[in-house]
């Protein structure tokens, strides 16, 4: 699928989920940046999924994006993973 079609499909699906169009666009841009390997975007997308900001809560997706960012040495993502693991161990 072409990037422009993927972006349009993402915006459409987010808009149908009652998410404001401007936020849907920024979320789509964030996802595109994360998919290109931007560690900050990966972490931010992890936060979006973890806390349900603009997307339904999805801890598996949050974990995926946090780990992608942590693999690049992004300290906030490493801390988020530590906190999550500590919380699940108790």
């Amino acid at each position: 699928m072409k990037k422009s079609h993927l972006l349009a499909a993402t915006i459409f699906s987010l808009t149908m989920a009652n998410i404001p169009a401007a936020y849907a666009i920024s979320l789509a841009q964030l996802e595109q940046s994360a998919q290109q390997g931007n560690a900050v975007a990966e972490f931010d997308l992890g936060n979006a999924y973890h806390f349900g900001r603009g997307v339904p809560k999805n801890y598996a997706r949050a974990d995926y994006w946090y780990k992608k960012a942590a693999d690049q040495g992004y300290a906030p993502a490493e801390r988020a993973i530590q906190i999550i693991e500590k919380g699940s161990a108790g």
Side-chain angles (χ1 to χ4, degrees), residues 41-53:
E42 291 169 347
F43 173 73
D44 288 345
L45 198 53
N47 276 337
Y49 281 109
H50 187 92
F51 297 105
R53 294 184 183 140

Side-chain angles (χ1 to χ4, degrees), residues 31 33-46 60-75 77-78 81:
E31 186 162 3
S33 184
Q35 290 174 349
Q36 292 172 350
N38 180 308
V40 176
E42 291 169 347
F43 173 73
D44 288 345
L45 198 53
R61 296 292 297 161
D63 188 55
Y64 171 81
W65 288 112
Y66 284 150
K67 286 181 178 174
K68 294 277 285 182
D71 287 347
Q72 295 187 63
Y74 190 63
E78 292 171 346
I81 292 169

Side-chain angles (χ1 to χ4, degrees), residues 1-17 24-25 27-28 31:
M1 179 181 287
K2 287 185 174 182
K3 287 184 181 181
S4 60
H5 293 168
L6 179 61
L7 179 62
T10 302
I11 291 169
F12 176 77
S13 65
L14 292 172
T15 303
M16 294 305 292
I25 291 168
L27 190 59
E31 186 162 3

